[in-house]
Amino acid sequence: MADSYYMEDQESGWQAAVRRFLPLVLVILLVGALGTLLYSASIASRDHERALMEQRRSFEIIALARAFEAKTARAEVTLARYVISLDPDVGRLFQDQWRTASSQLKLLSYATRQSGWQRANVQELQHAFEQRGKTLSEIGLRTTYDQKMGALAQFHRAGRSEDLKHITALLDRVIQAENARLQERSLAVKLAGNRTQFVDRTSRLFGLVLLVCVLFALWMLNAAYTERRNARRMAEVEAERADRLEAAVAARTIELSDAYEQLKKETSERAAAEENLRQMQKMDAVGQLTGGIAHDFNNMLAVVVGGLELAKRKLRLKPQEAARHLDNAMEGATRAAALTRRLLAFARSEPLLPRAIDPDQLVKGMVELIDRSIGDQVTVSLDNNAAGWHIFVDQHQMENAILNLCVNARDAMDGRGRLVIETRQAQLAEHEIGECAAGDYIVLSVKDDGCGMTPEVLARVFEPFFTTKPVGKGTGLGLSQIFGFVRQSEGEIRIESDLGQGTSVHIYLPRKSGVEGTSWSEAPLADREPVLHPPTRILVVEDDPRVLNQTMAALAELGHLPVACDHPSKAAKLLTSHRDIGLIISDVLMPDMTGPEMIRTLPAAHAHVPVLFVTGYAGDIAESSEFGGHEVLRKPYTLMGLSHALSNALSGSRHPGTAAAAE
């Protein structure tokens, strides 16, 4: 009995102890839980604040990168305006804008000072920016010293240079890295917010258990709510700021695009104007040739007409003497054809591709053209010492440059004096002459004993539209065109002149190796006899009745069977009625349609028939693609030339000489 009481007292004491200490344990647990919750809330708040700070820093770095890119692009556009306009105020504006871009880059470097993943990108960007600055400063310096053509050429190369692409790639790399970091930071903000929400829920749960915990939880809830509200407000502000920055970048991009299009349009209009002026100058030079050309043609026609008349008189009684007169007439006609080809080649407006040229042969071939251009009162002397070395240039542009220099020399001598054209070999060291690389060069010099130039005039001779000639006597584009042509050919041009002592113009052009055994002129027709073909029925399409009769007679003389067609619209009907026609000979320029147009409109049933085009001047359709790969024969032609052309057309092969003539 006593034992039972003892056991009950012991049990009640244990229960009392439990009741006494359980609240304390619960309070300790609650305080510990609340402390844990407070600590977790503090950490979540700190992480949230840090994530938001890193997020703001990412937005700031992206904005700085975009601002730097926009300021750099605006500075380059301003430099382009300076190179074109030569306005010192625009040059100073470029310097200010470039310094502002440098400041933007420094701000970007400062903003990324604690970003180890960006430090290498920003340092590389600073280096690329410094290199780009040196290139643009050199362009500005050239523009400041009136080397506009050089500045334009260098600016064109700078626009395609790798350093500009490198800067753009580095900026994209910085922005992409920061965007990736921004995603990570946004995730961190989200996780911190989730942790804050967890603390809030837990606080509410504990608030239901204990009033103090509830009040404390309410306080925590209010604090968390305030923080979230501030965070949301800050996020909205940052989002609005980001939207404004994005809109500003988009507007700046549109502005830069419009500026680029305007610059492109102005550049195209200027190029078109310069091309028109160049063509006008060339036509002016052709006009100056008119008197000499007319004189030469009259002499050649006198030889042709006189020779034919004498041959007609001597044909029966003295056939040998008649043959001699016919040979003289043929020689005169050949010289007239060669002179016509040279005049058309000089007057053409489309550029030719560069090729290997023997400068000695080129100058010798131009002597007659130069004599007729500058008059008989100027004595022209040649001193050719290229000794087989070749240059790689556009032949027609080179001829135009030499002729322009000779005309300038004539004007400097007032149409009377001595002109020397010299070619020689030279070995240059690196940058010994301008920007020429080390190697072998051909030096072509044009020297006169005219009035010379003052240092002030000499300093401006290469400026476009600068001329000392009276109004209407010159365009001011001659030397600037020569300067551009020489620089495009990887050469240099130097002028030496003293007032009253004459002028010497020296053109340095790099030697083209490996072509010493070839000739600069177009390949002539082969001396071999043409391949003889059986008598072939040939359709002759020609609108001029005299030329049609002559062509019919020549074909009959060669043993073929010609069929006359005096208008291109009749060709299809004649082909249908004469199904054995094996070749079509067509003039190029005819009424209503051209020869190539006629061939393209023929029915498909006649597409297999070979075609031979005959032309004296192809005009606007002189491109080789217009002839569809068919054989082309130039007027006037001999029976041997016609036989060669027929052989090539019927055999389906083309001779290089005729191909060149077609072009």
Side-chain angles (χ1 to χ4, degrees), residues 1-13:
M1 191 73 173
D3 291 336
S4 62
Y5 279 114
Y6 175 75
M7 292 180 62
E8 289 176 1
D9 291 338
Q10 191 177 20
E11 182 178 355
S12 62

Side-chain angles (χ1 to χ4, degrees), residues 48 51 55 180-195:
H48 193 241
Q55 194 178 48
R181 188 65 177 175
L182 183 60
Q183 293 178 358
E184 297 176 1
R185 291 164 179 169
S186 299
L187 181 60
V189 172
K190 182 178 179 181
L191 293 176
N194 292 337
R195 286 198 299 272

Side-chain angles (χ1 to χ4, degrees), residues 255-540:
E255 180 181 350
L256 291 176
S257 177
D258 293 340
Y260 173 74
E261 292 297 331
Q262 182 64 25
L263 178 62
K264 184 178 179 181
K265 180 180 178 182
E266 292 176 358
T267 304
S268 301
E269 292 176 354
R270 181 179 180 85
E274 290 182 355
E275 179 63 23
N276 290 334
L277 286 174
R278 188 181 297 112
Q279 190 65 14
M280 290 173 59
Q281 186 183 37
K282 186 181 291 185
M283 291 301 100
D284 181 54
V286 171
Q288 295 178 6
L289 291 175
T290 302
I293 296 296
H295 178 268
D296 280 355
F297 265 106
N298 287 332
N299 289 341
M300 296 169 189
L301 290 176
V303 172
V304 173
V305 174
L308 292 176
E309 185 176 3
L310 290 173
K312 185 178 180 181
R313 289 176 175 271
K314 303 293 185 179
L315 188 60
R316 293 184 178 181
L317 300 179
K318 297 180 180 180
Q320 293 182 350
E321 189 173 349
R324 179 170 57 83
H325 290 306
L326 289 174
D327 290 339
N328 290 338
M330 180 63 71
E331 181 183 358
T334 302
R335 288 183 59 197
L339 189 60
T340 302
R341 284 194 298 270
R342 180 170 293 276
L343 183 61
L344 291 177
F346 173 75
R348 66 185 301 176
S349 60
E350 61 273 17
L352 296 179
L353 295 176
R355 58 179 174 174
I357 293 177
D358 185 339
D360 290 347
Q361 296 294 333
L362 179 67
V363 172
K364 289 179 182 177
M366 291 185 62
V367 170
E368 184 177 0
L369 189 65
I370 293 172
D371 287 339
R372 293 305 175 191
S373 298
I374 64 179
D376 298 333
Q377 300 299 317
V378 177
T379 303
V380 180
S381 301
L382 302 182
D383 188 7
N384 296 329
N385 297 299
W389 284 15
H390 287 63
I391 54 179
F392 192 71
V393 296
D394 187 304
Q395 175 188 336
H396 299 290
Q397 291 189 15
M398 190 67 196
E399 289 179 345
N400 199 12
I402 295 174
L403 189 61
N404 276 334
L405 292 176
C406 293
V407 172
N408 286 345
R410 177 203 64 188
D411 295 340
M413 296 184 293
D414 290 332
R416 183 186 299 271
R418 184 171 182 270
L419 178 66
V420 179
I421 304 177
E422 175 188 278
T423 56
R424 59 182 174 88
Q425 302 175 354
Q427 287 80 31
L428 300 182
E430 185 77 15
H431 299 318
E432 179 180 349
I433 300 295
E435 299 180 0
C436 288
D440 296 334
Y441 285 80
I442 290 294
V443 185
L444 190 147
S445 303
V446 178
K447 306 176 182 178
D448 65 71
D449 54 2
C451 60
M453 291 181 282
T454 62
E456 293 76 14
V457 173
L458 188 60
R460 301 184 60 190
V461 290
F462 294 126
E463 292 183 12
F465 307 106
F466 173 76
T467 179
T468 58
K469 298 179 181 180
V471 177
K473 296 296 185 180
T475 63
L477 286 175
L479 287 176
S480 64
Q481 291 173 5
I482 296 173
F483 177 83
F485 159 67
V486 172
R487 294 302 297 269
Q488 289 175 358
S489 302
E490 300 180 355
E492 282 286 349
I493 181 171
R494 288 291 181 269
I495 299 181
E496 300 173 357
S497 182
D498 291 318
L499 195 61
Q501 301 297 321
T503 302
S504 298
V505 182
H506 307 285
I507 297 177
Y508 295 82
L509 295 170
R511 175 190 180 188
K512 176 68 174 179
S513 302
V515 293
E516 275 67 13
T518 63
S519 172
W520 69 273
S521 60
E522 296 175 352
L525 289 174
D527 293 332
R528 61 179 175 81
E529 290 292 331
V531 177
L532 298 179
H533 289 268
T536 304
R537 189 170 297 281
I538 300 174
L539 178 65
V540 183

